[in-house]
Amino acid sequence: AITAGLLILLGIFAAIHSTYFQSTDDAFVEGRLITVAPRVSGPAIQLLVDDNDEVKAGDLLVEIDPADYEVKLKEAEAKLAQAKAELNVTEKEVEKGEANVNQTFEDISSTQAKLNFAQKDHTRYTAMYKAGIVSKQDFENSKTKLEVSQADNKAAAERSQAAKHALASNQAKTESMNANIQRLEAEVEQAKLNLKYTKIYAPQSGKVSARSVEKGNYLQVGQPLMQIVPKEVWVVANFKEIQLTNMKEHQPVSIDTYPNKRFKGEVQSIQRATGAKSSLFPPENAVGSYVKIVQRVPVKIIFKEDISDYNIVPGMSVVPKVKVK
């Protein structure tokens, strides 16, 4: 009878306790894990960190042999310098071509004036020859001068067309070379970036974890070398859906991690989907027989006190207790 009564009291106490508190042992410490990977390939010639070393953002972690990338940069810079020199020559050709075109305009103007004079002179001599005022020789001379003036004017026009075509060709060549220079400048910038990428720096402050690189290893682009684990951590607690009735953001939490030590925390947010729904292969209940299974919903809990003196790291299991009333 005493045992039965005790069980009843314990049941009542548990019911009252669950009214004010909700807890779960399906909870783990989480944190950011930043994977460090190279952006260029090559042998590692320097390894400046070891497992569990504390690093700051911007610290040099690994250096890849830069020799090949230095050569490629010099090669790209040489090609760019050559292209600029060729462009300079072509631009001078353009200037010369513009001067030639202007000169041909003057030549056309001069020959046209001579042609106009020769035409008028020939017309006058033709009339005087018909009237018997001038000799046939004078008439023939005026005709010859007209023909020569016509030939000179035609030649000047042809030289002008040739000069225009040459100028247009050099101008098009200049545009093409400018485009090529832009491409080569981009190649130089990429070569500079690749050379810069031979030094791998810490993207964030934290501790080195899961280091898999050794000095002398040949590294590939995107190959995971290590992880940087920042100090910031939090708890993800997977509460049953029936435990969320009165759970809200900013409610106080007691986090049981170390023996005889409970940390103060706070509910920061409640996920808008169950853990099963967020998985890679969510359950499909549209076919076959269905059995209702209580689902769990991830709840993010943050620490509300300084935990720097304790080794609380991602992956640790904890037992949070949320005060829901």
Side-chain angles (χ1 to χ4, degrees), residues 160-233:
S160 179
Q161 280 299 116
K164 288 179 182 178
H165 288 314
L167 176 60
S169 175
N170 285 327
Q171 287 174 335
K173 188 177 180 181
T174 300
E175 292 178 0
S176 174
M177 295 181 74
N178 277 321
N180 186 49
I181 285 174
Q182 290 181 350
R183 179 182 63 81
L184 292 173
E185 286 175 341
E187 289 183 1
V188 169
E189 289 303 314
Q190 184 62 59
K192 288 179 179 179
L193 284 175
N194 289 341
L195 180 58
K196 179 181 177 182
Y197 293 153
T198 58
K199 293 184 177 180
I200 304 173
Y201 298 92
Q204 289 191 31
S205 299
K207 279 193 173 184
V208 175
S209 177
R211 181 176 67 85
S212 61
V213 59
E214 297 293 343
K215 183 177 178 180
N217 287 160
Y218 191 90
L219 309 182
Q220 300 288 351
V221 176
Q223 174 186 343
L225 305 181
M226 63 189 73
Q227 291 180 332
I228 304 296
V229 184
K231 291 182 179 180
E232 182 187 4
V233 292

Side-chain angles (χ1 to χ4, degrees), residues 65-78 191 195:
D65 188 357
D68 290 343
Y69 299 99
E70 290 172 347
V71 171
K72 289 180 181 178
L73 175 58
K74 290 179 181 178
E75 182 182 354
E77 289 175 338
L195 180 58

